[in-house]
């Protein structure tokens, strides 16, 4: 059957009769190649014209919004930075307090809530000029009004609010009443959240005071932190380094001392990478334990690898308080669809000796000297507390990062993300991905084969997954394979008597700005636990030393382009923070926090100090 025969076969009779009456039928039949070529050209011109129109509209919308955003931030910064009611000495004293001491001073009246809020507002306004982690400040009058309400509470009643007076920073993808959750995407500008997400509302009901929203990478799928609306966020330990992502603004805010407690989210290390690179703590809970309502993602709908909200804090005490709040009756009332699992205080306070598996490398991604040393020091600390440390090998470690994770996130071939960013200005870290995902499937397959020859095998496997899942049946098979893999890993833990695992969260310290787009596979040490849906937290342990640098110059293998990028970033990395990652079985966050707290108590890590008054 010819092409023309196929076209006329599916053509409605009325259309064919009309064409014949106007003598179009014979004309098109006789000039079919030319007609098809002309149609293709017209279609391409229409697509290009439509793209240009949409791009111009989005550019206009973004530039107008950026002016308004900058004016609002400048006004807020001017007000809080020039606040004569609090001195820089007081700001330094308050913002350098650890979470437990700050909480105690607020509850017993030693510090006024208004004073604490002003201190963190002023610190944030000053540090934001250096590291650009604020998306939007919460209205200062609203913040002060709530602070005064809390100050008016009798001291005897303050125990009902565990987070009494604690300033809270919030990742920009969370719904905060009256503010946008753009994900760094122009299309979402002007979409105002009508109410707080259940997490923000519960934290606020329990005494926390939201005061800033923090920056994210465009579309969230990156461990850089840049977008065309709010700009580039940098690392407070070294402004030429990345803060991590996608909760990069949270990491930088807490790492700089501008916040003590924040709310992030994690689908592939988005809490743990910023926490480890900024020298703070963070935990990714089991997906499903905390409500997901009011949190926006770049891959909505897929449930194979779920994103989850979670806290970051200056110390583990902040994480414990957050998880208590997320496991409270208030949270279940906000979202009855989540399991009613209350916080297990007995597990947190237990002193029973544990068996902790440890590994230093897993899969094809090599680990630098400082990352191995951080895990070794953490293992020694936990052994000194009476825990049994045993070697652990994760079976088929590369499956999580090369098969299940990319297949889940790009199960739709990236359609949602491409549509979200269509016509938008693209940040440097996501631009290559969006251009690849935007190609027609056949062209994408051809280009993927070409790219596969130029990259290492495990990166090639990841690249292939951006083609999307071919059918519902293939998706079901993939789901079944993942569930079987999860149960095999759990079975391994049980047969070896393992209570928890200790491992690196990242193979290297904070990377130079722009490098993460060339080294996506570095997230494999975090992604594993998202795919398995095990809770995982990070604790800062040490800093990179000059001896670590020298060791990596000699020993870190530049075996491919990916590892050469990692090795390049190890130069001049001395002084950057390094963390250890603690992992437990699903829904055992309290055990994870217990181990994290023990580790934090005994390591000699010193947080970054950036005094404003000299």
């Amino acid at each position: 059957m010819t092409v023309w025969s196929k076209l006329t076969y599916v053509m409605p009779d009325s259309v064919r009769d009309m064409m014949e009456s106007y003598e179009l039928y014979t004309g098109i039949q006789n000039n079919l190649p030319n007609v098809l070529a002309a149609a293709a050209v017209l279609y391409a011109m229409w697509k290009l014209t439509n793209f240009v129109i949409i791009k111009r509209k989005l550019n206009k919308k973004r530039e107008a919004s950026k002016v308004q955003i900058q004016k609002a931030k400048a006004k807020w910064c001017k007000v809080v930075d020039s606040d004569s009611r609090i001195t820089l000495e007081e700001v330094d004293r308050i913002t350098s307090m650890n979470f437990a001491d700050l909480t105690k001073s607020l509850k017993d009246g030693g510090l006024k809530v208004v004073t604490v809020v002003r201190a963190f507002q002023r610190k944030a306004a000053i540090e934001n000029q250096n590291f650009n982690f604020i998306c939007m400040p919460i209205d200062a009058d609203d913040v002060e009004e709530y602070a005064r309400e809390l100050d008016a509470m009798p001291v005897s009643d303050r125990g009902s609010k565990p987070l009494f007076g604690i300033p809270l920073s919030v990742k920009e993808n969370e719904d905060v009443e009256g503010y946008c959750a753009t994900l760094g995407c122009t299309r979402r500008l002007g979409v105002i959240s009508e109410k707080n997400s259940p997490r923000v509302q519960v934290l606020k009901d329990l005494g926390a005071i939201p005061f800033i929203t923090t920056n994210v990478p465009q579309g969230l799928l990156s461990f850089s932190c840049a977008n065309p609306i709010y700009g580039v966020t940098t690392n407070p330990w070294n402004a030429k380094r990345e803060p991590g992502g996608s909760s990069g603004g949270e990491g930088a805010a807490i790492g700089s001392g501008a916040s003590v407690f924040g709310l992030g989210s994690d689908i592939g290390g988005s809490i743990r990478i910023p926490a480890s690179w900024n020298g703070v703590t963070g935990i990714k809970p089991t997906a499903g334990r905390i409500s997901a309502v009011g949190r926006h993602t770049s891959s909505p709908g897929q449930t194979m690898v779920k994103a989850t909200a979670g806290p970051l804090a200056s110390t583990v005490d902040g994480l414990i308080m957050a998880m208590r709040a997320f496991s409270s009756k208030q949270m279940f009332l906000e979202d009855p669809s989540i399991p009613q699992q209350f916080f297990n205080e007995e597990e947190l306070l237990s002193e029973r000796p544990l068996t902790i598996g440890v590994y230093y490398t897993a899969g094809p991604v090599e680990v630098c000297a400082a990352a191995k040393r951080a895990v070794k020091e953490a293992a020694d600390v936990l052994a000194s507390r009476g825990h049994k440390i045993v070697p652990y090998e994760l079976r088929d470690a590369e499956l999580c990062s090369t098969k299940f994770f990319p297949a889940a996130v790009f199960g739709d071939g990236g359609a949602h993300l491409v549509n979200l960013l269509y016509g938008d200005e693209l940040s440097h870290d996501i631009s290559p991905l969006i251009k690849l995902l935007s190609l027609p499937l056949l062209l994408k397959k051809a280009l993927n084969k070409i790219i596969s020859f130029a990259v290492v095998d495990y990166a090639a496997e990841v690249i292939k997954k951006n083609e999307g899942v071919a059918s519902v049946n293939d998706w079901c098979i993939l789901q079944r394979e993942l569930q079987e893999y999860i149960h095999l890993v759990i079975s391994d833990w049980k047969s070896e008597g393992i209570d928890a695992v200790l491992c690196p969260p990242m193979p290297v310290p904070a990377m130079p700005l722009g490098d993460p787009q060339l080294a996506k596979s570095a997230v494999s040490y975090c992604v594993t636990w998202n795919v398995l849906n095990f809770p995982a937290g990070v604790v800062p342990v040490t800093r990179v030393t000059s001896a670590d640098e020298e060791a990596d110059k000699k020993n870190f293998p530049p075996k491919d382009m990916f590892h050469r990028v990692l090795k390049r970033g190890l130069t001049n990395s001395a002084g950057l923070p390094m963390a250890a990652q603690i992992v437990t079985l699903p829904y055992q966050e309290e055990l994870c926090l217990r181990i994290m707290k023990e580790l934090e108590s005994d390591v000699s890590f010193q947080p970054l100090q950036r005094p404003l008054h000299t």
Side-chain angles (χ1 to χ4, degrees):
M1 184 179 286
T2 64
V3 173
W4 179 248
S5 300
K6 291 179 181 178
L7 288 173
T8 55
Y9 181 77
V10 299
M11 191 181 295
D13 293 341
S14 57
V15 174
R16 187 165 53 249
D17 293 343
M18 181 189 71
M19 291 176 66
E20 288 176 346
S21 67
Y22 285 98
E23 299 183 351
L24 292 174
Y25 189 89
T26 303
I28 292 175
Q29 184 177 13
N30 293 336
N31 296 279
L32 183 60
N34 294 333
V35 170
L36 291 177
V41 170
L42 288 172
Y43 177 75
M45 290 177 63
W46 174 78
K47 288 285 288 185
L48 180 61
T49 303
N50 187 54
F51 178 81
V52 170
I53 291 171
I54 291 173
K55 189 174 183 66
R56 285 178 177 173
K57 287 182 179 179
L58 290 176
N59 285 345
K60 185 177 180 180
K61 179 181 182 180
R62 182 177 58 256
E63 293 308 313
S65 296
K66 284 171 70 174
V67 171
Q68 296 175 351
I69 289 167
Q70 291 303 323
K71 283 182 178 179
K73 288 167 75 170
K75 180 181 178 181
W76 178 82
C77 287
K78 184 177 180 180
V79 170
V80 301
D81 190 23
S82 61
D83 194 339
S84 60
R85 294 169 293 183
I86 186 166
T87 65
L88 291 180
E89 294 94 327
E90 288 179 292
V91 172
D92 285 340
R93 179 176 64 86
I94 292 170
T95 58
S96 63
M97 295 175 71
N98 66 45
F99 188 91
D101 291 341
L102 183 62
T103 302
K104 183 177 183 301
S105 294
L106 284 164
K107 286 183 178 179
D108 64 20
L111 283 171
K112 293 278 190 183
V113 178
V114 168
T115 304
V116 170
V117 166
R118 288 172 183 163
F120 278 96
Q121 285 176 322
R122 193 166 186 187
K123 176 76 168 177
I126 295 170
E127 294 291 20
N128 187 64
Q129 297 174 40
N130 301 317
F131 310 115
N132 190 43
F133 47 77
I134 297 177
C135 287
M136 284 297 291
I138 306 301
D139 183 84
D141 292 336
D142 292 343
V143 170
E144 182 140 337
E145 180 182 355
Y146 185 41
R148 291 190 180 282
E149 286 179 18
L150 292 174
D151 275 330
M153 284 184 66
V155 172
S156 58
D157 293 343
R158 294 179 179 181
S160 63
K161 293 186 178 293
L163 295 166
F164 183 86
I166 296 292
L168 171 69
S169 49
V170 182
K171 185 176 178 178
E172 197 257 12
N173 69 326
E174 285 277 338
D175 277 342
V176 176
E177 184 178 357
Y179 296 85
C180 294
T182 68
L183 286 66
C185 306
T186 305
R187 255 185 190 76
R188 291 191 56 84
L189 277 169
V191 182
I192 308 297
S193 301
E194 296 181 357
K195 63 179 182 178
N196 293 326
S197 72
R199 294 160 301 286
V200 173
Q201 190 59 52
V202 166
L203 294 174
K204 188 174 180 181
D205 288 345
L206 295 178
I209 305 177
F211 76 110
I212 55 172
T213 64
T214 57
N215 206 18
V216 296
Q218 188 177 31
L220 302 184
L221 287 178
S222 174
F223 58 108
S224 292
C225 192
N227 63 72
I229 301 172
Y230 301 110
V232 179
T233 299
T234 57
N235 192 306
W237 291 78
N238 184 334
K240 294 180 181 180
R241 299 268 172 169
E242 294 282 0
S246 60
S247 307
E250 279 302 312
I254 299 170
S256 68
S259 176
V260 70
F261 178 57
L263 180 58
S265 62
D266 193 315
I267 193 174
S270 295
I271 287 172
R272 290 158 291 155
I273 298 171
S276 63
W277 280 4
N278 291 279
V280 302
T281 66
I283 185 170
K284 176 207 78 70
T286 309
R289 179 165 183 173
I290 299 174
S291 172
V293 175
R295 175 179 47 74
H296 303 274
T297 76
S298 54
S299 56
Q302 69 86 11
T303 57
M304 187 181 300
V305 179
K306 298 179 182 178
T308 179
L312 298 87
S314 57
T315 63
V316 176
D317 285 324
L319 307 182
I320 293 171
M321 294 297 284
M323 287 307 301
R324 282 178 178 146
F326 294 147
S327 305
S328 65
K329 185 176 180 180
Q330 288 94 324
M331 179 57 80
F332 304 133
L333 292 174
E334 285 284 333
D335 184 2
S337 70
I338 60 174
Q340 192 164 344
Q341 181 178 344
F342 294 108
F343 194 82
N344 189 339
E345 298 288 348
E346 183 179 348
E347 183 65 83
L348 179 70
L349 300 175
S350 172
E351 296 181 357
R352 69 182 176 91
L354 304 169
T355 299
I356 300 174
V358 61
Y359 66 85
Y360 300 92
T361 60
V365 180
E366 300 290 341
V367 173
C368 74
K372 292 177 181 176
R373 183 170 58 81
V375 174
K376 177 65 168 63
E377 290 181 10
D380 291 344
V381 164
L382 295 173
S384 71
R385 282 184 165 256
H387 301 304
K388 182 181 179 182
I389 307 298
V390 299
Y392 173 72
E393 183 176 349
L394 178 66
R395 69 160 66 214
D396 300 324
E398 71 283 354
L399 281 181
C400 290
S401 57
T402 64
K403 179 179 180 178
F404 295 121
F405 181 79
V409 173
F410 298 120
D412 63 348
H416 176 83
L417 189 60
V418 168
N419 291 336
L420 182 64
L421 294 174
Y422 184 76
D424 207 345
E425 178 184 336
L426 300 177
S427 59
H428 68 277
D429 56 318
I430 201 170
S431 179
L433 174 64
I434 296 302
K435 289 175 180 176
L436 183 60
L437 293 174
S438 301
L439 295 173
L441 182 59
L442 289 177
L443 188 55
K444 191 187 294 186
K445 285 178 177 289
L447 188 58
N448 285 344
K449 286 188 178 295
I450 296 171
I451 294 174
S452 296
F453 288 113
V455 297
V456 291
D457 291 343
Y458 53 89
E461 284 299 313
V462 174
I463 290 168
K464 289 178 184 176
K465 297 298 185 294
N466 68 43
E467 297 170 8
V469 178
S471 67
V472 174
N473 183 54
D474 287 347
W475 181 262
C476 292
I477 291 172
L478 198 64
Q479 285 267 33
R480 185 176 69 247
E481 290 175 347
L482 174 55
Q483 290 305 311
E484 290 171 353
Y485 178 68
I486 290 171
H487 289 297
L488 284 172
V489 173
I490 292 174
S491 178
D492 289 343
W493 281 41
K494 289 182 176 179
S495 65
E496 296 175 37
I498 289 176
D499 297 298
V501 160
L502 170 66
C503 60
M506 285 292 280
V508 292
M511 298 174 70
L513 293 172
D515 275 7
Q517 67 171 320
L518 304 172
K520 298 292 188 184
S521 296
V523 302
S524 61
Y525 287 84
C526 279
V527 159
T528 294
W529 308 112
N530 294 91
V531 172
L532 291 168
N533 199 19
F534 287 20
V538 297
V539 176
V541 174
T542 186
R543 298 187 190 183
V544 180
T545 65
S546 55
D548 293 325
E549 273 199 60
E550 287 301 316
D552 286 325
K553 284 181 183 178
K554 296 177 182 178
N555 303 322
F556 193 85
K559 58 186 182 182
D560 49 50
M561 182 189 73
F562 164 69
H563 281 91
R564 286 194 289 275
V565 171
L566 294 184
K567 184 163 187 170
R568 179 179 69 193
L570 294 172
T571 302
N572 298 322
S573 62
L576 294 175
M578 298 301 300
Q581 181 172 212
I582 303 294
V583 186
T584 52
L585 290 171
Y587 296 97
Q588 293 187 8
E589 283 77 8
E590 294 85 350
L591 177 59
C592 186
L593 290 166
R594 173 201 160 184
I595 301 169
M596 291 171 69
K597 180 66 177 173
E598 290 180 3
L599 181 56
E600 180 186 64
S601 299
D602 290 359
V603 297
S604 57
F605 181 83
Q606 293 297 317
L608 182 64
Q609 297 293 327
R610 292 181 51 83
L612 304 178
H613 175 73
T614 55

